[in-house]
Amino acid sequence: MKTRTRVLTGTAVAVALGAGAFGAVSANAAPASAPAAAVAKKDGDKKNFTTSTHLTIDAATRAAQAALDAAEQENQRVTVAVVDRNGNTIVTLRGDGAGPQSYESAQRKAFTAVSWNAPTSVLAGRLAQTPNLKDIPGTLFLGGGAPVQAEGAPVAGIGVAGAPSGDLDEKFAKAGVDALAK
């Protein structure tokens, strides 16, 4: 009985090892398939790819600092946010004494301005005709956001929040946009 058990156990082990080795050989023997990826032509495939313009971190920081400086010259305590074309925050500067609500408000104003390529004060006026615009996540339809354009297309947004009025916030945001033209 012991011999029979040893033979059966040995056979089972040999079958298991053989199956494992066969699986390893079969897996490695299969030809590697190329991953599905887009490949651009050397001369540039203009119908499949596009180039976009983005603010550098340096430019975004200069714009934010110019907006903050404009607010401080008028003794206003604000937060300034600069977002890219996709609404991702590039830089945020929270001025001394800026209220806690100003951080998120500045980001949402910047996002709103770049999303619609228009100052948020103009967009706030559109709420009368389309009140459900305010329900779009991440937006804030109050004055204080200004788009940054390159060749007429939106590439970033600057939002300012914390001054006593949206008109002042927007004035400071425009100072940030103007700093990029220098």
Side-chain angles (χ1 to χ4, degrees):
M1 190 86 160
K2 287 185 175 183
T3 306
R4 184 173 180 207
T5 304
R6 284 188 205 147
V7 170
L8 289 175
T9 304
T11 304
V13 169
V15 168
L17 288 173
F22 177 75
V25 170
S26 331
N28 291 332
S33 61
V39 179
K41 295 177 186 176
K42 287 182 183 178
D43 60 354
D45 188 351
K46 292 186 176 151
K47 70 178 180 178
N48 290 325
F49 298 94
T50 185
T51 304
S52 60
T53 303
H54 300 275
L55 285 184
T56 64
I57 186 72
D58 179 57
T61 302
R62 279 186 291 117
Q65 189 63 58
L68 187 61
D69 290 346
E72 287 176 347
Q73 286 176 356
E74 296 191 28
N75 296 316
Q76 298 301 315
R77 296 179 174 107
V78 301
T79 297
V80 180
V82 180
V83 301
D84 67 11
R85 176 61 183 115
N86 299 319
N88 299 310
T89 303
I90 302 171
V91 66
T92 302
L93 297 178
R94 185 171 180 268
D96 294 335
Q101 80 290 352
S102 65
Y103 189 87
E104 183 179 349
S105 296
Q107 288 177 323
R108 290 175 61 192
K109 288 177 182 183
F111 174 78
T112 305
V114 74
S115 295
W116 277 274
N117 194 23
T120 53
S121 61
V122 171
L123 297 170
R126 295 182 188 170
L127 287 178
Q129 294 86 17
T130 317
N132 60 344
L133 279 178
K134 69 180 177 1
D135 298 332
I136 297 172
T139 59
L140 187 57
F141 292 88
L142 297 173
V148 177
Q149 299 177 347
E151 298 178 15
V155 296
I158 300 175
V160 177
S165 75
D167 290 340
L168 279 175
D169 284 339
E170 198 159 303
K171 174 182 174 182
F172 306 142
K174 287 179 182 176
V177 173
D178 292 345
L180 294 171
K182 295 177 183 176

